Amino acid sequence: MSFVEYGDTIKDGDTAIVFLGHESMFPVKVQQGSVTQTKYGVIRHSTDLIGKKYGSKVTCSKGGWVFILHPTPELWTMNLPHRTQILYSTDISIITMMLELKPGSIVCESGTGSGSLSHALIRTVAPTGHLYTVEFHQQRAEKAREEFREHGVEHLVTVTNQDVCKNGFGVSNIADAVFLDIPSPWEAIGHAKSALKAEGGRICSFSPCIEQVQRTCLAMEEYGFTEINTLEILLRVYNVRTVSLQIPDLGKAAEDNSSTGFDSSNPSHQGSPCANLQQGTVQFKSGVPLREVVGHTGYLTFATKS
């Protein structure tokens, strides 16, 4: 099992996603002889998972069923254990595009955190690229190494435990892109410039506060970066629902109905547009925004090494 290569069959030691619904799923490590409890009953790894195909519908002990999905960076972002605040797919998608990443790219990242962005970067640069990720916190760095090994991507990533603001990324003049998600990114701009290739490398800094953005932009200008711009991604989700809208009474419909002998009590007329008009409402399919939406997540500042 690998997060960057699809496998058909569930094997012992795999990380799989137990899918109960779009709002309910969780990861599980498949192990011979283990069981997993769900609200629909028990899943026995030996008989219900190992040897089955990913995407299979598995019946639990209480008669309910779940789907077992192959892990992807998108599913991992929604289900990973949080060690820090993470980036979600809305920001990750624009980061990978604006950094111009592709298979074979070399990327430097700090900090690793919970590994949400790291998995997406690894999948983007695979199979010939590489991610150099730096984490200041030792336990988080060790946990990240363990997860990358379990997920079959350890050959595509190097995890370093050090302070990027003091010691840099440990590489020079090879990176196609650098991503910074640290409290004081302006202190790491010089190291980011050293890690980037001679010309044309891209940098992105994620900061939740505009004061951090201001200091980072000044540092980027000082080190000669160009095309500096900051953006913010706001996601607004709409649900498609059937809504009833009031029809204004303009008088003409009633006159036309009486002149043509329309009888609203006739069952054959109940589904007609005139019947809806007579009742004063009509139904439409409409997009309705959620009452609660995700607001500000952070500012993304991009620049190019000239």
Side-chain angles (χ1 to χ4, degrees):
M1 187 277 303
S2 172
F3 271 51
V4 298
E5 297 176 1
Y6 183 78
D8 288 332
T9 306
I10 304 172
K11 299 177 182 177
D12 186 18
D14 282 4
T15 298
I17 305 296
V18 179
F19 181 89
L20 292 80
H22 289 288
E23 302 298 328
S24 179
M25 63 184 90
F26 59 89
V28 61
K29 185 172 182 178
V30 179
Q31 292 179 317
Q32 190 79 33
S34 296
V35 297
T36 297
Q37 296 283 350
T38 73
K39 63 181 180 180
Y40 300 125
V42 174
I43 301 174
R44 295 174 175 82
H45 294 196
S46 301
T47 57
D48 297 333
L49 299 183
I50 296 176
K52 301 290 181 65
K53 287 189 174 183
Y54 280 106
S56 298
K57 180 190 288 188
V58 174
T59 302
C60 303
S61 61
K62 293 182 180 179
W65 47 267
V66 298
F67 287 105
I68 307 299
L69 305 181
H70 192 283
T72 65
E74 292 82 3
L75 290 174
W76 185 245
T77 291
M78 292 187 288
N79 294 282
L80 57 79
H82 285 224
R83 299 184 288 274
T84 59
Q85 180 64 32
I86 69 169
L87 291 177
Y88 290 92
S89 298
T90 308
D91 288 316
I92 291 173
S93 59
I94 197 72
I95 290 170
T96 54
M97 184 189 75
M98 294 292 287
L99 289 181
E100 303 174 2
L101 301 182
K102 59 186 182 298
S105 295
I106 306 297
V107 186
C108 292
E109 175 197 24
S110 182
T112 312
S114 300
S116 174
L117 177 64
S118 303
H119 282 81
L121 295 177
I122 291 170
R123 196 262 307 272
T124 302
V125 304
T128 56
H130 201 84
L131 172 66
Y132 295 90
T133 182
V134 178
E135 173 57 52
F136 176 78
H137 194 276
Q138 182 178 358
Q139 291 181 333
R140 287 201 292 262
E142 292 174 354
K143 185 61 179 177
R145 288 193 192 98
E146 180 184 341
E147 285 182 349
F148 293 142
R149 184 168 56 253
E150 291 179 352
H151 298 164
V153 296
E154 71 276 9
H155 62 291
L156 297 170
V157 57
T158 299
V159 182
T160 305
N161 173 221
Q162 63 187 27
D163 186 351
V164 70
C165 296
K166 295 180 179 179
N167 306 115
F169 294 93
V171 296
S172 300
N173 302 320
I174 64 169
D176 297 288
V178 169
F179 176 80
L180 298 174
D181 182 7
I182 53 178
S184 52
W186 56 89
E187 295 181 1
I189 299 300
H191 294 297
K193 183 177 181 179
S194 299
L196 287 168
K197 60 186 181 182
E199 186 177 358
R202 295 279 286 167
I203 183 174
C204 174
S205 174
F206 176 90
S207 297
C209 301
I210 196 65
E211 292 81 7
Q212 293 171 303
V213 174
Q214 292 170 336
R215 295 189 65 175
T216 302
C217 289
L218 290 174
M220 288 179 175
E221 287 184 344
E222 180 182 346
Y223 281 96
F225 284 89
T226 60
E227 299 178 343
I228 302 172
N229 64 85
T230 299
L231 51 88
E232 179 184 23
I233 309 300
L234 300 177
L235 179 66
R236 191 176 189 187
V237 178
Y238 284 78
N239 283 339
V240 177
R241 298 178 182 175
T242 301
V243 296
S244 296
L245 299 180
Q246 193 75 25
I247 300 299
D249 183 8
L250 303 179
K252 177 141 179 79
E255 294 175 5
D256 291 345
N257 292 343
S258 61
S259 63
T260 56
F262 176 80
D263 183 7
S264 61
S265 63
N266 189 333
S268 64
H269 293 159
Q270 292 299 318
S272 67
C274 292
N276 288 334
L277 292 174
Q278 192 75 7
Q279 295 165 2
T281 61
V282 65
Q283 291 186 331
F284 292 97
K285 289 290 186 182
S286 177
V288 180
L290 300 180
R291 292 186 178 182
E292 295 182 0
V293 297
V294 178
H296 171 74
T297 57
Y299 300 103
L300 293 169
T301 302
F302 296 91
T304 303
K305 180 179 178 181
S306 61

